[in-house]
Amino acid sequence: MKKEMRTAVYDDELRIDAFRFEGIVQPFPNHFHEHYVIGVVEKGKRRLSCKNKIYCIEKGSVPLLNPGDNHACVQSDEGTFDYRGLNISKGVMLDLAEEATGKRELPGFSKNVICDGKITRYLRAFHEMVMNGASSFRKEESLLLLFSALIQNYSHPFESCVPECRQEIERACEFLEQWTVSQVTDK
């Protein structure tokens, strides 16, 4: 049986995390991030739940997750899951959007899963450069190609992609954080 491998590299110049999961069988429970997650499935079939919709993802599928998009993932075949992805903060995304469009506004991805050969090629090429420590100019050029295509074809203003219950979620998180702190200080 193939051993699970999880690899992550932070690119200091571009301020982007690149990560790779190989041989994964564990499910990922429902959660969300405060950053964007963009990736490509390299192997395996999974059922992805995102914002109360179910997607079947497999080799070549490109998940596009906005900050706050709740999602979960479970294996749907007998194999393992291989995936490469990027974690991108809102601040870095603002810079990328401005560079690609001339407007300093956050994009919101209108689809959570796409199958687009050009995007997949750009994403794989950029991901490999980050993982292997390629020169700055080549990485930046590759990143701008990727994000220009993503923003042009799959984005809307971020506010139109935020779930209606986002404020409720934020209030619940604040409550849980305050409750946790009070539990620790009361002991």
Side-chain angles (χ1 to χ4, degrees):
M1 183 172 175
K2 186 178 177 182
K3 185 177 180 180
E4 286 189 6
M5 288 183 49
R6 298 166 192 246
T7 311
V9 173
Y10 181 73
D11 188 294
D12 287 318
E13 296 165 353
L14 299 176
R15 302 171 315 186
I16 291 177
D17 283 312
F19 61 93
R20 182 80 193 257
F21 297 154
E22 298 175 87
I24 304 298
V25 293
Q26 85 175 60
F28 295 106
N30 196 28
H31 64 286
F32 65 92
H33 307 279
E34 290 299 321
H35 53 266
Y36 290 86
V37 180
I38 299 164
V40 62
V41 176
E42 297 293 0
K43 179 181 161 193
K45 293 183 180 183
R46 288 216 152 196
R47 193 171 54 252
L48 171 69
S49 167
C50 185
K51 297 190 306 189
N52 300 317
K53 292 183 183 176
I54 303 294
Y55 302 91
C56 294
I57 58 173
E58 60 189 358
K59 184 176 180 170
S61 297
V62 177
L64 301 172
L65 304 175
N66 298 304
D69 286 353
N70 68 304
H71 57 285
C73 195
V74 64
Q75 199 71 19
S76 62
D77 68 1
E78 299 298 316
T80 60
F81 185 60
D82 289 5
Y83 177 79
R84 66 176 76 219
L86 306 171
N87 293 331
I88 304 167
S89 71
K90 290 178 184 177
V92 170
M93 187 61 82
L94 271 171
D95 294 342
L96 289 169
E98 184 175 29
E99 185 78 25
T101 67
K103 297 178 186 174
R104 189 164 179 80
E105 57 188 31
L106 285 174
F109 295 113
S110 54
K111 295 181 180 182
N112 289 115
V113 177
I114 61 170
C115 289
D116 183 318
K118 184 163 76 171
I119 298 291
T120 301
R121 285 189 303 277
Y122 289 159
L123 179 56
R124 281 184 182 131
F126 174 71
H127 188 274
E128 285 297 317
M129 287 182 213
V130 172
M131 295 300 275
N132 296 324
S135 71
S136 297
F137 177 76
R138 289 193 59 219
K139 281 188 297 192
E140 285 181 43
E141 182 179 58
S142 181
L143 181 61
L144 284 175
L145 281 173
L146 170 63
F147 276 90
S148 293
L150 279 171
I151 290 170
Q152 180 179 13
N153 296 306
Y154 300 105
S155 76
H156 294 291
F158 181 73
E159 292 75 26
S160 68
C161 297
V162 174
E164 291 179 23
C165 63
R166 182 69 183 149
Q167 288 180 333
E168 293 170 15
I169 292 170
E170 288 175 2
R171 282 195 300 264
C173 289
E174 285 176 24
F175 171 80
L176 289 172
E177 287 172 11
Q178 290 173 358
W179 183 83
T180 302
V181 168
S182 71
Q183 293 300 307
V184 170
T185 57
D186 288 347
K187 289 185 179 185

